[in-house]
Amino acid sequence: MATPSFESSRTRAMWRTCLASALRTALACTIVGVATLFGPQYIKKQIAFPAFSYVTVILVVTDATLGDTFRGCWLALYATIQGVCPAILSLWLIGPARLTAGTTAIAVALSAFVVVLPENTHLIAKRIALGQIVLVYVIAYINGGQTETIMHPVHVAASTGLGVVACVLALIFPYPCLACCEVKRNCKLFAENASERFNLFVKAFTAEDNSCALAFISQAKSLVKTGSKLLQGIKTKQESMKWERFPFKFLRPYGENPGSRFQDVQTPLRGMEIAFDNSPSFPVGILNSDQKSVLHMLGENISKQVNNMSLESSATVPESNQENTQKFFQTLQPTKKDLPSLFFLFCLNLLLNKPITNSSSSTNPKQQNQQGFFQNYLSITKSNKRFMAAFKCSLSLGLAIYFGSIYSKDNGFWAGLPVAISLAGSREATFKVANVKAQGTVLGTIYGILGCFVLEKYVQIRFLSLLPWFIVSSFLRQSTMYGQAGGLSAIIGALLILGRKGFGPPSEFAIARITETFIGLSCSIIVEILLQPTRATTLAKLQLSKSFEILNESISLISFGSIGNLVESQNKLKSHIIEMGKFIAEAEAEPNFWFVPFHGVCYRKLVGSLTKMFEYLHFGSQAFMLLEQESGGSIDNFVHKLDGDIKLFKDFVGSSMKCFEEVSLVKSLVILDKEFEKKKLSVDVELGTSQSSSYCNIIRYASEEEIDENFRSYFEHSKEFVDQIVNGEELKGQVVLSLSALGFCMDGLVKETKEIEKAIREVVQWENPSSHVNLHDISCKVRALANIIVAN
């Protein structure tokens, strides 16, 4: 089997990546250490803050390529313009001798607010600028009137520059670490991964018994996570490739977006996996021995083409294979029981032909006005979020500097520096991140003290003991327990002990720094709690309700002629599902205190079902677009019939989403019942005979018989449509696949709707253990109350 060898190569690649990153980081730190310890006196005088040089190295060079460091040079320059240049003017106006703990904290807070507020500034630039601001103002406060107004900020800028130069040199020697080489390597590994998965899927599809098919599917699924990581690695390094082209003109001009071409392979493979998840048993009934032979031959050729994909070229299918494909697809007929198999072949067809996109821009003026209002609303919302993020950062930094300076004037900047250099680009789990930062700092500091003890007689070279710690920290960053925040804190904790000078005995400095770090993290937590009182649990519920709303909107757009709007709605749904996943991860990490424990398992199920529904919508929209493309105007006579068949599915799924949207926001059933009784609404939910009965018809409960009958009608109309095609047998096969894929996606939407209903009921019951849960009843009461309030 090829799978074990692939897994072993993946393991070697992971080790190679971690070791390479550790060695490059160690080389950069060595350059800084040599320059500050053994360099000319003039350079040593200018580099007055070697500790910040090390910090700059960690911020720029961690997991970086040469393109990243070139970008880091520009970001460091931009950060210096933002941080150091205004500080020179401020020190000149205020005067270092007049600085107190309070004025220093205010100056740092105001400067931090100006740096963090702009949206387009890169996170690395913000972190470097904030670190410079802390050093400039707090060191000026410590030294008082002895501080040189101009040269002191210049020394901070020079220390930053040394770190950046060390990063560039470390990424060039002994050989350049180029992003294009890393992307090419990931492209090759992804192509091998995709080819292996495709081979296993074809073997499973043509297997003669159920056990063999399940074994092949299990092997293929074990490779999915690796393939996703490789594809993500390709996408994340595309920006770095652009930075490498300018200084290295000899590099070949690779495609602007190689990740999109490989995504065109990943998506059909995901569809094949979905098809197998819905297959009841094997062997597949629609294939005879001749068709299996053709499929094997076709699969081998496609596998070779996928395996030969590179950074420069996509997978192409020879004309002989296209002829075999057309002959193979001509024999197919749409049937309900064969939907998973036909959907597998539909995804195979997508793999052969690049997925199409809707290019229509037929938006009426009303829709344009609505979109304009929505864009304005988003702009206002984003502005408020940016303002609040900048305010929280400035307040956290100001309080950290103030209390850190009160505790120890000489070490006060160590309270602000961890807050500055760990600025987050988005909302994060406050308590979890603070915990891993504290643990990482303590681990790194202890390692630094031990290193100082072991190399006590070799003070000038003790920073070389950092190499093993860099390797360990590289694995810490990859771990789930510590992540990037904990791993970076561990590196910096050891660096500032082993690479320091002039801070007294290691043990005393370690205790002072740990205490100051605790002060800084405590200030961050307090500010987050005071200014961000909405718990992640609440945000997850709100995001869930919003996802149901957008999903309902997407379901309503499932029809011929509105595919462009459906694709746009899908993109909104995807972003909301991703955001919801982040809130769930944060909610699982935050302490419960006196609140009801967060039901993370059930919310994960909901995210999984929503993701599947998004995938069904995506493949359904592809089927719609292929139908319109392949059939031309011949489908116009059947649009009304097919849309009528689709309507029942839309009614059932859409009304259910509306119900879930309302029910998911209910905090307490007891309070809802009391409010309902207070309004004196006598609503007989089950009989629906009251004055508010019009509010209760929210869910369209379709029986299994109705759904099956609707499927029969859909396939009858589909068969009529296929039979009236006179342009050739080749076109019929393509149309059959598209119609079958559309039916499969509708069936999948119905199934996932039922799964979501179970999960929502479980969540509501978890939050209201003493109440009887009836989703239809709850939704009726919510709707009735809302309408009564509006009426009054």
Side-chain angles (χ1 to χ4, degrees), residues 146-177:
Q146 300 178 358
T147 303
E148 300 180 37
T149 304
I150 296 178
M151 291 309 299
H152 166 56
V154 169
H155 290 160
V156 174
S159 301
T160 306
L162 174 62
V164 173
V165 171
C167 291
V168 175
L169 294 177
L171 268 296
I172 292 178
F173 299 105
Y175 58 89
C177 178

Short mmCIF file of all heavy atoms in Angstrom, two decimals, residues 146-177:
data_model
loop_
_atom_site.label_atom_id
_atom_site.label_comp_id
_atom_site.label_asym_id
_atom_site.label_seq_id
_atom_site.Cartn_x
_atom_site.Cartn_y
_atom_site.Cartn_z
N GLN A 146 18.30 61.95 32.25
CA GLN A 146 19.49 61.46 31.54
C GLN A 146 19.17 60.93 30.14
O GLN A 146 20.07 60.63 29.37
CB GLN A 146 20.16 60.36 32.36
CG GLN A 146 20.62 60.82 33.75
CD GLN A 146 21.23 59.69 34.54
OE1 GLN A 146 21.28 58.55 34.08
NE2 GLN A 146 21.69 60.00 35.75
N THR A 147 17.89 60.82 29.83
CA THR A 147 17.47 60.26 28.53
C THR A 147 17.72 61.27 27.43
O THR A 147 17.35 62.45 27.54
CB THR A 147 15.97 59.90 28.57
OG1 THR A 147 15.74 59.00 29.64
CG2 THR A 147 15.55 59.26 27.25
N GLU A 148 18.36 60.81 26.36
CA GLU A 148 18.56 61.65 25.17
C GLU A 148 17.28 61.60 24.34
O GLU A 148 16.86 60.53 23.89
CB GLU A 148 19.75 61.16 24.36
CG GLU A 148 21.06 61.19 25.14
CD GLU A 148 22.22 60.69 24.29
OE1 GLU A 148 22.24 60.99 23.08
OE2 GLU A 148 23.08 59.99 24.84
N THR A 149 16.71 62.76 24.08
CA THR A 149 15.40 62.82 23.44
C THR A 149 15.39 62.20 22.06
O THR A 149 14.42 61.54 21.67
CB THR A 149 14.94 64.30 23.32
OG1 THR A 149 14.96 64.89 24.63
CG2 THR A 149 13.56 64.39 22.74
N ILE A 150 16.45 62.36 21.30
CA ILE A 150 16.49 61.84 19.93
C ILE A 150 17.20 60.50 19.87
O ILE A 150 16.71 59.53 19.27
CB ILE A 150 17.18 62.85 18.98
CG1 ILE A 150 16.33 64.13 18.91
CG2 ILE A 150 17.35 62.24 17.59
CD1 ILE A 150 16.95 65.21 18.04
N MET A 151 18.36 60.39 20.49
CA MET A 151 19.17 59.18 20.35
C MET A 151 18.54 57.97 21.04
O MET A 151 18.72 56.83 20.59
CB MET A 151 20.58 59.42 20.92
CG MET A 151 21.38 60.40 20.08
SD MET A 151 21.40 59.97 18.32
CE MET A 151 22.17 58.35 18.35
N HIS A 152 17.80 58.19 22.13
CA HIS A 152 17.17 57.05 22.80
C HIS A 152 16.18 56.34 21.87
O HIS A 152 16.26 55.11 21.70
CB HIS A 152 16.49 57.53 24.08
CG HIS A 152 15.55 56.51 24.67
ND1 HIS A 152 15.94 55.23 25.00
CD2 HIS A 152 14.21 56.60 24.97
CE1 HIS A 152 14.89 54.57 25.48
NE2 HIS A 152 13.84 55.38 25.47
N PRO A 153 15.23 57.03 21.22
CA PRO A 153 14.37 56.34 20.25
C PRO A 153 15.15 55.76 19.07
O PRO A 153 14.78 54.70 18.55
CB PRO A 153 13.40 57.42 19.79
CG PRO A 153 13.38 58.43 20.89
CD PRO A 153 14.78 58.42 21.43
N VAL A 154 16.22 56.43 18.67
CA VAL A 154 17.04 55.91 17.57
C VAL A 154 17.67 54.58 17.96
O VAL A 154 17.77 53.65 17.14
CB VAL A 154 18.11 56.94 17.16
CG1 VAL A 154 19.14 56.31 16.21
CG2 VAL A 154 17.46 58.15 16.51
N HIS A 155 18.10 54.46 19.21
CA HIS A 155 18.68 53.19 19.68
C HIS A 155 17.64 52.06 19.65
O HIS A 155 17.96 50.92 19.32
CB HIS A 155 19.22 53.36 21.10
CG HIS A 155 20.43 54.23 21.17
ND1 HIS A 155 20.84 54.85 22.35
CD2 HIS A 155 21.32 54.61 20.22
CE1 HIS A 155 21.93 55.56 22.11
NE2 HIS A 155 22.24 55.43 20.82
N VAL A 156 16.39 52.41 19.98
CA VAL A 156 15.32 51.40 19.89
C VAL A 156 15.13 50.98 18.44
O VAL A 156 14.99 49.78 18.14
CB VAL A 156 14.01 51.97 20.47
CG1 VAL A 156 12.87 50.99 20.25
CG2 VAL A 156 14.17 52.27 21.96
N ALA A 157 15.14 51.95 17.53
CA ALA A 157 14.98 51.63 16.10
C ALA A 157 16.16 50.80 15.61
O ALA A 157 15.99 49.85 14.82
CB ALA A 157 14.86 52.92 15.29
N ALA A 158 17.38 51.12 16.07
CA ALA A 158 18.56 50.36 15.66
C ALA A 158 18.50 48.92 16.17
O ALA A 158 18.88 47.98 15.46
CB ALA A 158 19.83 51.05 16.18
N SER A 159 18.00 48.74 17.38
CA SER A 159 17.85 47.38 17.92
C SER A 159 16.85 46.58 17.08
O SER A 159 17.04 45.39 16.81
CB SER A 159 17.37 47.45 19.38
OG SER A 159 18.30 48.16 20.18
N THR A 160 15.77 47.25 16.64
CA THR A 160 14.80 46.60 15.76
C THR A 160 15.46 46.24 14.43
O THR A 160 15.27 45.13 13.90
CB THR A 160 13.60 47.52 15.51
OG1 THR A 160 13.05 47.93 16.75
CG2 THR A 160 12.54 46.81 14.69
N GLY A 161 16.24 47.18 13.90
CA GLY A 161 16.90 46.93 12.61
C GLY A 161 17.87 45.77 12.67
O GLY A 161 17.96 44.98 11.71
N LEU A 162 18.60 45.62 13.77
CA LEU A 162 19.53 44.49 13.90
C LEU A 162 18.76 43.16 13.84
O LEU A 162 19.19 42.21 13.17
CB LEU A 162 20.30 44.59 15.21
CG LEU A 162 21.21 43.39 15.53
CD1 LEU A 162 22.30 43.24 14.48
CD2 LEU A 162 21.82 43.53 16.92
N GLY A 163 17.62 43.11 14.52
CA GLY A 163 16.83 41.88 14.50
C GLY A 163 16.36 41.54 13.10
O GLY A 163 16.39 40.37 12.68
N VAL A 164 15.93 42.55 12.34
CA VAL A 164 15.43 42.31 10.98
C VAL A 164 16.58 41.86 10.06
O VAL A 164 16.42 40.93 9.26
CB VAL A 164 14.75 43.58 10.44
CG1 VAL A 164 14.40 43.41 8.97
CG2 VAL A 164 13.51 43.90 11.24
N VAL A 165 17.72 42.52 10.16
CA VAL A 165 18.87 42.14 9.34
C VAL A 165 19.30 40.71 9.66
O VAL A 165 19.63 39.93 8.76
CB VAL A 165 20.04 43.13 9.57
CG1 VAL A 165 21.31 42.62 8.91
CG2 VAL A 165 19.68 44.50 9.03
N ALA A 166 19.30 40.36 10.94
CA ALA A 166 19.65 38.99 11.33
C ALA A 166 18.67 37.98 10.72
O ALA A 166 19.08 36.89 10.28
CB ALA A 166 19.65 38.87 12.85
N CYS A 167 17.41 38.34 10.63
CA CYS A 167 16.41 37.45 10.02
C CYS A 167 16.71 37.22 8.54
O CYS A 167 16.65 36.08 8.05
CB CYS A 167 15.01 38.04 10.18
SG CYS A 167 14.41 38.06 11.88
N VAL A 168 17.02 38.29 7.84
CA VAL A 168 17.32 38.17 6.40
C VAL A 168 18.55 37.30 6.18
O VAL A 168 18.55 36.40 5.32
CB VAL A 168 17.51 39.56 5.77
CG1 VAL A 168 17.95 39.43 4.31
CG2 VAL A 168 16.22 40.37 5.87
N LEU A 169 19.60 37.55 6.95
CA LEU A 169 20.82 36.76 6.80
C LEU A 169 20.58 35.28 7.13
O LEU A 169 21.10 34.39 6.46
CB LEU A 169 21.92 37.33 7.71
CG LEU A 169 22.42 38.73 7.36
CD1 LEU A 169 23.45 39.20 8.38
CD2 LEU A 169 23.04 38.74 5.95
N ALA A 170 19.78 35.03 8.17
CA ALA A 170 19.50 33.65 8.57
C ALA A 170 18.70 32.91 7.52
O ALA A 170 18.82 31.69 7.38
CB ALA A 170 18.75 33.64 9.90
N LEU A 171 17.88 33.62 6.75
CA LEU A 171 17.08 32.97 5.71
C LEU A 171 17.82 32.86 4.38
O LEU A 171 17.38 32.15 3.49
CB LEU A 171 15.77 33.74 5.51
CG LEU A 171 14.56 33.28 6.35
CD1 LEU A 171 14.16 31.87 5.98
CD2 LEU A 171 14.82 33.38 7.84
N ILE A 172 18.96 33.55 4.25
CA ILE A 172 19.77 33.46 3.03
C ILE A 172 20.86 32.40 3.17
O ILE A 172 21.12 31.64 2.22
CB ILE A 172 20.38 34.84 2.69
CG1 ILE A 172 19.29 35.82 2.27
CG2 ILE A 172 21.42 34.71 1.58
CD1 ILE A 172 19.80 37.22 1.97
N PHE A 173 21.49 32.34 4.32
CA PHE A 173 22.61 31.41 4.54
C PHE A 173 22.14 30.22 5.39
O PHE A 173 21.31 30.36 6.27
CB PHE A 173 23.77 32.14 5.23
CG PHE A 173 24.32 33.28 4.42
CD1 PHE A 173 24.03 34.59 4.77
CD2 PHE A 173 25.13 33.05 3.32
CE1 PHE A 173 24.53 35.65 4.04
CE2 PHE A 173 25.63 34.10 2.58
CZ PHE A 173 25.33 35.40 2.94
N PRO A 174 22.71 29.05 5.15
CA PRO A 174 23.71 28.70 4.13
C PRO A 174 23.13 28.59 2.72
O PRO A 174 23.86 28.56 1.74
CB PRO A 174 24.23 27.35 4.62
CG PRO A 174 23.06 26.76 5.34
CD PRO A 174 22.38 27.91 6.01
N TYR A 175 21.81 28.54 2.61
CA TYR A 175 21.14 28.57 1.30
C TYR A 175 19.78 29.23 1.53
O TYR A 175 19.21 29.14 2.60
CB TYR A 175 20.97 27.17 0.72
CG TYR A 175 20.18 26.23 1.59
CD1 TYR A 175 18.79 26.13 1.51
CD2 TYR A 175 20.83 25.42 2.53
CE1 TYR A 175 18.08 25.28 2.32
CE2 TYR A 175 20.11 24.56 3.35
CZ TYR A 175 18.74 24.50 3.24
OH TYR A 175 18.03 23.64 4.04
N PRO A 176 19.26 29.93 0.51
CA PRO A 176 18.00 30.65 0.71
C PRO A 176 16.83 29.70 0.99
O PRO A 176 16.71 28.64 0.38
CB PRO A 176 17.79 31.39 -0.62
CG PRO A 176 19.13 31.41 -1.27
CD PRO A 176 19.84 30.18 -0.81
N CYS A 177 16.00 30.10 1.93
CA CYS A 177 14.76 29.36 2.23
C CYS A 177 13.63 30.07 1.50
O CYS A 177 13.06 31.04 2.00
CB CYS A 177 14.51 29.33 3.73
SG CYS A 177 12.98 28.49 4.20
#
